[in-house]
Amino acid sequence: MGTTSAAEVETIAETVHDAIASRVFPRHAKDSRFDEVLKRCVRGNIGLLADVASGRVHHEEPQLGHALAFAEVVADQGLPFEDLERAYWVGLEQFWHRWLAIVGEAAARGDGTVAELIGDRTPAVFGYVTRVLGLVSARYDEAAGELACTGEERRRALVGELLGAAPPAHTQFLDDELGYRLRACHLALLLQGDRPHAERRLARLRHETDAQAALLVQRSPGLWAGWLGFPGRVDPATLRMIRQAVSRHGEPVVAGGPALGLAGFRRAHEEAVRAFALREVLADPGDFLWYTDVRLEAFLLGDPAAARRFVAEELGELAEANERADRIRETLLAALASGSQARAAAELGVHENTVRLRIRTATELLGDALSERRTELLVALRLRRALGPQAGSGSMDAVG
């Protein structure tokens, strides 16, 4: 068969990816990092299969970095090799079905008979898959062996049990296996990057925050769950030190906790996961997002569309995205949160008369809401800040 277009190859790759994701890895494919590695593997394999089926590749050892990388990820996730093997046969089934359709279309155009277009390449196609499976099997075994040797798989399995629906009771055995004291006060983090980078960041944070212990396990490709353990309840001074240490590194990180004991180990991680999900919703999450700072937003943004409607209904014209409305919202939020116009002026670095003027303008726009719906108004202002310009609509003509 002649040259296959890049568009045809991409269409086949999408079909193959969707079949493997839904039939072999329905749960893991929901993880964007896992799915991205799967997509790269599928694209690479389909591109080579198309070359083999077209008679363009004759060498025995194709470049298989994409396939070996996915084998490592499957092993890192603790998935059985049978799942990886099944993914290849599902992929071959989908590829061959679509390839025969392309051949049939070419034959209908008069490019040749189906037999002429397919030629004698069927053994080469199946031979390619068999050869690749042999190589990825070896890489899977190597990666799985490396995990077993380091104890990472055991720690990750224990952490998975601790975070599961029916966690085991605390024992000294768990502490010894994890190398981490579960009765500590925990700060949970989610870190992105490869293993050495995540390990260095957690070690640096442990040193800078005087944490008693640290624990790091992989949760998905490129995403790591870390815990810092402190010997007792974390006081406000230590919280400030932790915030400064995490913030100054200038890399994306989310945090949950601090929380005490085994229940706190779980709770802190759950909070970090919620904060991580919020990064996709917040207009400006910043490099460091601590759940304690956004827990109201996390609760209210379970339904972002409803939250946007609430903001629009409560703020009206003040929800708009223009400079004057932005200033009034900022001033009103500071005044309501602090309970004092003087403190709001100091916080914003403006004269108290400026605060009074802006609040007067807000009163004209909001009517009785400023006196009768202060709680709703404060919540709407926080949501508007979290959602950014997407929360507003319409125009604003008269803002002081």
Side-chain angles (χ1 to χ4, degrees), residues 20 24-25 70-71 74 79-92 129-130 133-134 136-137 140:
I20 293 174
V24 185
F25 304 111
F70 185 62
V74 172
L79 296 169
F81 176 75
E82 288 75 13
D83 285 355
L84 181 60
E85 185 177 35
R86 182 166 171 250
Y88 273 85
W89 293 120
V90 168
L92 178 59
V129 175
T130 302
L133 272 174
V136 299
S137 172
Y140 174 94

Side-chain angles (χ1 to χ4, degrees), residues 88-158:
Y88 273 85
W89 293 120
V90 168
L92 178 59
E93 172 197 26
Q94 294 295 314
F95 168 83
W96 199 242
H97 176 76
R98 182 56 190 148
W99 189 260
L100 290 177
I102 292 174
V103 168
E105 293 166 3
R109 292 194 302 266
D111 295 344
T113 66
V114 170
E116 290 171 343
L117 292 170
I118 292 177
D120 59 354
R121 296 173 197 127
T122 302
V125 169
F126 281 82
Y128 168 85
V129 175
T130 302
R131 186 164 66 254
V132 172
L133 272 174
L135 295 172
V136 299
S137 172
R139 185 64 195 114
Y140 174 94
D141 290 341
E142 181 181 357
E146 290 170 355
L147 282 172
C149 290
T150 62
E152 169 65 20
E153 181 60 27
R154 177 58 180 163
R155 286 193 297 274
R156 187 168 57 193
L158 285 175

